[in-house]
Amino acid sequence: MSIFNLLRIDYWFSQPYILYGGAKWFWLFFILVVIIGAFVFKYLQKHTLDKVKAEIYRRFGGVLIGMSFFLVFWFFFRQQHIPFLAWRFWWMIALFFAVSSALKTMKYMLKRIPEIRKFEEEKQMREKYLPKK
């Protein structure tokens, strides 16, 4: 495979060959790693006491679960040599959604979390002086 194939339109809209040997095992291992990563994030979400961190884990876990579903279906369609659904342009669409979700999560981490932490500190300062019920 040449890197210049990425610049050709027929590369993205043509049927890829069925994977054999090392390439097939590489993709299966990669899919398994993404699925395990999704389960790790979901486990961390359930067992984290901090709500903000749990939200971050939920978002990244959702991205990885979506990518794992995509990878499993795409790999199946490629190995079964189904014409339209195994094309490489689906990668562009999936990567667009994964990157946009990751960027939204990063924006949440960098902008929203400091606001939430500041509000929680102010709330604790106010409640410190209020009578207990």
Side-chain angles (χ1 to χ4, degrees):
M1 183 183 133
S2 172
I3 193 76
F4 294 111
N5 283 344
L6 299 176
L7 301 175
R8 295 178 35 217
I9 193 88
D10 61 331
Y11 174 78
W12 294 103
F13 294 99
S14 63
Q15 182 66 29
Y17 297 113
I18 295 175
L19 294 172
Y20 294 106
K24 180 172 107 176
W25 290 109
F26 168 78
W27 278 105
L28 286 174
F29 180 73
F30 179 71
I31 292 169
L32 184 65
V33 167
V34 171
I35 291 171
I36 289 171
F39 281 120
V40 166
F41 275 113
K42 288 300 180 178
Y43 176 81
L44 289 173
Q45 173 195 351
K46 298 288 185 200
H47 292 87
T48 301
L49 297 177
D50 187 12
K51 292 180 183 179
V52 176
K53 286 183 182 178
E55 176 66 18
I56 293 169
Y57 294 146
R58 183 191 68 81
R59 289 175 181 227
F60 280 123
V63 170
L64 288 179
I65 286 175
M67 283 303 292
S68 64
F69 278 124
F70 165 75
L71 285 170
V72 167
F73 285 121
W74 180 79
F75 187 78
F76 172 77
F77 292 138
R78 181 174 180 163
Q79 292 303 96
Q80 295 301 317
H81 211 64
I82 297 175
F84 178 69
L85 298 173
W87 288 354
R88 293 177 184 101
F89 84 93
W90 290 107
W91 270 99
M92 300 297 271
I93 296 170
L95 287 177
F96 171 76
F97 284 114
V99 168
S100 66
S101 297
L103 288 176
K104 286 180 188 177
T105 303
M106 294 301 287
K107 182 179 176 184
Y108 175 79
M109 288 172 58
L110 296 175
K111 290 195 174 198
R112 184 73 177 121
I113 288 178
E115 294 173 1
I116 293 172
R117 298 277 189 213
K118 184 179 176 184
F119 177 75
E120 290 293 325
E121 289 175 5
E122 290 173 357
K123 183 178 175 184
Q124 287 178 353
M125 290 298 289
R126 282 191 307 262
E127 289 179 355
K128 182 168 72 171
Y129 298 108
L130 293 176
K132 306 265 192 267
K133 292 184 181 180

